[in-house]
Amino acid sequence: MAAKKAVPHTPTTGGGQEKPAPTPPERHHRTKHPPDYRRRTFLGIMGTAAVATAFRANIAAESLVTERTQFRVTTPDNAENRTATNRFPGKTWYLLGGFDVSYRDVGRKLAALQAAMNERAPASYIGYSNGGIDIAALFIAIQRDTFTRKIDTVYFYGDSFGGMAAVVLASLLEENGIHVRVVVMGSSPSNVRDVLDPGKEYISLAGRVVPYLGLVGRLAVGVWSGLANPNGQGMYAAARSGIDKSLDPANNSLILKTSQATFLQAFPTQYDGGIPHSTGIGLMYDPADFIVNARTAILGWEQLFPHNPVFVYNVPNTGHASPEIHPAVYRTGLRVVLDKLDPPPLTVKPVQPIF
């Protein structure tokens, strides 16, 4: 007989019941879903828009802090200017402010010099735009003013940085039929190398970076300037005073400061030599100027205008470009400079000898 095949028996528990066979573990197959590119794109666009909005708001807020000057030409309406207008028709002065000098401070400088200026013409001053220096926009503002007032002869007074801007503007005016009789430099550097500021090496970097810092950058500059010049205050008080000063509407915007600095670094390549040899160049400096090297600045202007009449007048112990602080000294100096470069017209008929 054939042997019976043994059938395996399921083991039993103690209760005599059969134990069920173990169930094999289930395998969960993970389904791969394609990435949601539309959602990612939407979030990326919204994030970029938020960053751009914050950036623009930062820049806009910084510009709102400062006084809104858009290349404004101001002619003070006073008796002295009205008298000068009647005495010298077709002539005017334009005073250009210095680096980081506010519009209101430029007006104070004109008030200090106006008495001497009015001996040749009525006097005006120009405010730069806090959106940045723009020689073309300055020229348009002056050209409009000369057309309105029927001006054909201009005198420039350049306060520090303003001297370089005046030189470029003078050549543009000459090209358009308006004669520039005299350009007076009030402590003006002729080159960035004349500036005695150790931070001038960073002007190029600042010109590329600072205009995009906006209100945040203004606050940072305020904190830094306060801590750098604490004047006996604690760190917190110094930082607070620096911030308060940086938020003063009379201060210029960072964009204007850095655009002026970039212009300063590039000068005199902006000057194309369009000033005629008849234009007088007056140079007024304190030999001990602590911001501009007076000696090298004077040499630089003499080299730039080798064929023009040049007259140098020292204003010692006045510091740098400070007619509003030393008005009498500067008025005297300006009168001497003008007498040398532009002798006053005869108002009385000279006495003829009998014999």
Side-chain angles (χ1 to χ4, degrees), residues 153-355:
T153 303
V154 166
Y155 296 80
F156 273 119
Y157 185 96
D159 181 73
S160 189
F161 168 87
M164 295 184 295
V167 166
V168 180
L169 289 167
S171 62
L172 293 174
L173 289 173
E174 288 285 351
E175 290 175 4
N176 286 268
I178 298 174
H179 179 52
V180 178
R181 186 71 188 89
V182 175
V183 179
V184 179
M185 311 292 181
S187 307
S188 303
S190 65
N191 192 292
V192 71
R193 291 188 295 272
D194 302 333
V195 181
L196 303 175
D197 182 1
K200 65 184 179 183
E201 289 81 4
Y202 303 100
I203 287 175
S204 178
L205 176 63
R208 293 193 297 267
V209 176
V210 175
Y212 305 103
L213 297 182
L215 182 61
V216 174
R218 176 179 282 265
L219 294 175
V221 169
V223 171
W224 178 83
S225 62
L227 294 177
N229 302 282
N231 295 323
Q233 303 176 94
M235 292 183 62
Y236 175 78
R240 182 67 180 269
S241 65
I243 291 176
D244 291 342
K245 184 177 179 181
S246 71
L247 295 178
D248 183 357
N251 287 335
N252 290 330
S253 71
L254 295 178
I255 294 177
L256 175 56
K257 294 178 187 177
T258 53
S259 64
Q260 286 179 314
T262 303
F263 185 96
L264 168 63
Q265 189 181 49
F267 193 84
T269 56
Q270 298 97 331
Y271 173 64
D272 60 2
I275 294 179
H277 297 170
S278 61
T279 299
I281 307 296
L283 306 175
M284 297 175 60
Y285 292 83
D286 179 354
D289 192 325
F290 57 94
I291 292 180
V292 169
N293 187 321
R295 184 185 63 83
T296 59
I298 291 171
L299 290 175
W301 289 120
E302 289 175 340
Q303 292 175 2
L304 193 64
F305 300 105
H307 305 293
N308 293 72
V310 177
F311 183 76
V312 181
Y313 184 89
N314 290 335
V315 283
N317 305 315
T318 59
H320 175 74
S322 56
E324 72 280 19
I325 301 175
H326 306 279
V329 175
Y330 271 82
R331 282 197 297 266
T332 299
L334 184 56
R335 287 188 174 105
V336 174
V337 169
L338 292 174
D339 286 345
K340 292 292 184 180
L341 298 176
D342 183 41
L346 293 175
T347 56
V348 179
K349 185 177 181 180
V351 177
Q352 298 293 330
I354 298 177
F355 301 103

